[in-house]
Amino acid sequence: MTYDTIRETDSTVAEFLEAERARQDETLAMIASENHVSESVMEAQSSELTNNYAEGYPGERYYGGCEYADAIEQLAIDRAKELWGADHVNVQPHSGSQANMGVYLAILEPGDKILSLDLTHGGHLSHGHPANFAGQVYDIEQYEVDSETGYVDYEGLDETAKKFEPDVIVSGYSAYPREVNFERIQATADAVDAYHVADIAHITGLVAAGVHESPVGVADFVTGSTHKTIRAGRGGLIMCGEEHADDVDSAVFPGTQGGPAMHNIAGKAVGFGEALDPSFDEYAEQTVANAKALGHRLREHGLDLVSGGTDNHLVLVDLRPSHPNTTGKEVESALEDAGIVLNANTVPGETRSPFNPSGIRIGTPALTTRGFGEGACGEVADLIYEVVDAPHDEAVIADVSARVDELTDEYTLYD
Ligand code: DSN
């Protein structure tokens, strides 16, 4: 992609776009929810479909001119069905949060009960945080990870479910490094006659590639985002059985959204097509292997990982045991100066504020896309540790930054 035209018509925006391109090229993106989509996905997302209004669904639109929008949306749906093995897929949610909103609207009344994982234990805002619509519209109770092991406390979840009698149990998390036992949570939901919504936003790609247990065909509803580990166009999706298809579709449109972002749906179709290629399975396997290698090396340096390691694409470091006077924000900021971009994150049993928490979350999907293997990820762990250990030492930041420059030159991003 070039910015030739925009450079001529709006040099100010072009300058920012070029700066962002350089930023991504010259830094290591280790925010666990980020990835680098292909140039084909980006082309699709900047296509003429951005001009189109296609309220409704393929073959049943409220506007004319939807012939190609229909074809592309149907392709995205069919490819998603093949990737995840779902009976019914809605690819219109603008994001993972919008996908969750769609499912809640399809099955809940205001005031109904949701049981979900606490945000500081790895949950997500849209699972019922008081600052989010879900926490304001529904009655929320939360379960936690076990304080000793860092794994979901499945027994505690059983007990809370029995007492709270939820209408919905939400599984699937945004800062949880371990494999989720969806069948175990389904058994809990069955025991209390609740729906089970599995939010696989972070692990859509891992599930599609078969490197993480799938909740499809287990949970009543599966929601996700489409631009994280699956590396397709920006947005969300919902999967469910045919018996819920009409309710889900009308909850997305007209329930919570108007016209679908057809250019992003084109990006989803392209990215899903790429993920159907066997090389994507290797990518997903490598993403997990890289996270394990990264975690292993951080542990060797004496850092404390929540749950002791990882089964997926991310590790969560609790800085308190090894560096009690260093906060996640300090580390995030120092690493950004050194060219490594990740985010400060709350940890189970958090004692600081969410704005300056005690942990950092580190993901490998984007580095794996750049071609990093386990050896290079181990070296990145060394660099991260150097900065964690001396976040205010300018010489350390400069040394790490120089090595990051070499790595980004070696593992190039876009041509
Ligand atoms: N904000 C995303 C994340 O970083 O996990 C999820 O929506």
Side-chain angles (χ1 to χ4, degrees):
M1 291 232 314
T2 68
Y3 296 130
D4 291 347
T5 310
I6 196 164
R7 207 177 293 119
E8 279 172 26
T9 61
D10 191 335
S11 59
T12 312
V13 172
E15 205 175 299
F16 290 134
L17 291 175
E18 278 165 357
E20 173 60 13
R21 170 181 282 167
R23 187 194 70 78
Q24 292 193 21
D25 190 37
E26 292 161 13
T27 59
L28 299 180
M30 302 197 78
I31 290 180
S33 45
E34 289 188 352
N35 210 330
H36 301 290
V37 297
S38 70
E39 290 182 76
S40 304
V41 169
M42 286 200 290
E43 271 182 20
Q45 291 190 144
S46 65
S47 67
E48 287 78 359
L49 277 168
T50 191
N51 301 327
N52 163 289
Y53 254 108
E55 287 177 357
Y57 290 98
E60 300 172 325
R61 305 285 187 186
Y62 287 82
Y63 295 95
C66 291
E67 182 183 354
Y68 302 111
D70 278 5
I72 282 179
E73 183 168 347
Q74 194 56 53
L75 201 55
I77 292 168
D78 293 343
R79 288 177 176 175
K81 284 182 176 177
E82 199 178 337
L83 274 174
W84 287 285
D87 290 342
H88 180 74
V89 183
N90 186 309
V91 294
Q92 292 193 5
H94 299 321
S95 69
S97 290
Q98 291 292 120
N100 288 337
M101 189 183 228
V103 171
Y104 299 156
L105 186 74
I107 55 176
L108 297 176
E109 297 294 331
D112 279 355
K113 298 176 177 182
I114 296 177
L115 175 56
S116 57
L117 189 73
D118 187 284
L119 184 67
T120 62
H121 286 238
H124 189 258
L125 285 168
S126 64
H127 297 177
H129 190 275
N132 183 267
F133 85 95
Q136 294 167 20
V137 173
Y138 305 110
D139 181 9
I140 307 295
E141 182 61 74
Q142 307 232 270
Y143 59 99
E144 298 188 341
V145 299
D146 183 290
S147 56
E148 294 297 312
T149 65
Y151 283 65
V152 167
D153 177 5
Y154 293 102
E155 283 81 30
L157 168 59
D158 284 341
E159 281 168 30
T160 310
K162 274 186 207 133
K163 279 190 216 136
F164 183 58
E165 298 180 339
D167 299 290
V168 166
I169 297 178
V170 180
S171 68
Y173 316 111
S174 63
Y176 183 68
R178 292 300 182 178
E179 178 133 12
V180 184
N181 191 338
F182 292 114
E183 292 199 359
R184 177 77 176 74
I185 295 177
Q186 184 60 43
T188 309
D190 287 341
V192 296
D193 201 20
Y195 285 117
H196 176 191
V197 178
D199 177 351
I200 61 167
H202 266 253
I203 55 170
T204 42
L206 308 187
V207 170
V211 300
H212 188 292
E213 177 186 327
S214 175
V216 177
V218 176
D220 301 287
F221 302 90
V222 177
T223 59
S225 52
T226 50
H227 49 276
K228 296 184 173 112
T229 46
I230 191 66
R231 221 168 45 180
R234 183 107 195 175
L237 87 174
I238 302 173
M239 299 182 257
C240 62
E242 285 299 344
E243 69 276 23
H244 298 300
D246 288 346
D247 288 341
V248 160
D249 287 352
S250 28
V252 173
F253 171 81
T256 56
Q257 295 187 173
M262 286 311 308
H263 54 311
N264 284 345
I265 291 175
K268 292 175 191 182
V270 173
F272 295 165
E274 291 171 355
L276 283 166
D277 189 275
S279 62
F280 185 82
D281 294 355
E282 288 166 31
Y283 159 73
E285 280 162 25
Q286 190 63 55
T287 299
V288 175
N290 285 349
K292 285 180 190 289
L294 182 96
H296 181 72
R297 194 72 75 88
L298 291 174
R299 263 203 325 273
E300 284 183 342
H301 283 296
L303 293 186
D304 190 79
L305 304 191
V306 173
S307 84
T310 181
D311 300 324
N312 58 26
H313 62 299
L314 67 87
V315 299
L316 188 59
V317 178
D318 186 345
L319 296 164
R320 292 172 301 181
S322 61
H323 295 78
N325 300 319
T326 305
T327 69
K329 251 322 185 220
E330 267 177 286
V331 172
E332 175 192 297
S333 166
L335 279 167
E336 188 167 4
D337 289 343
I340 299 177
V341 184
L342 48 67
N343 65 287
N345 214 94
T346 51
V347 290
E350 182 58 68
T351 41
R352 293 193 174 98
S353 90
F355 298 106
N356 193 7
S358 305
I360 49 172
R361 188 184 66 162
I362 318 174
T364 54
L367 258 54
T368 309
T369 293
R370 283 184 93 125
F372 279 64
E374 287 129 287
C377 283
E379 189 189 344
V380 172
D382 295 341
L383 299 176
I384 290 173
Y385 179 73
E386 282 180 43
V387 175
V388 166
D389 207 35
H392 303 294
D393 187 327
E394 287 180 12
V396 167
I397 307 282
D399 280 353
V400 171
S401 178
R403 183 60 189 135
V404 167
D405 284 348
E406 287 168 4
L407 286 169
T408 54
D409 283 348
E410 186 178 344
Y411 296 93
T412 50
L413 192 47
Y414 298 110
D415 287 337

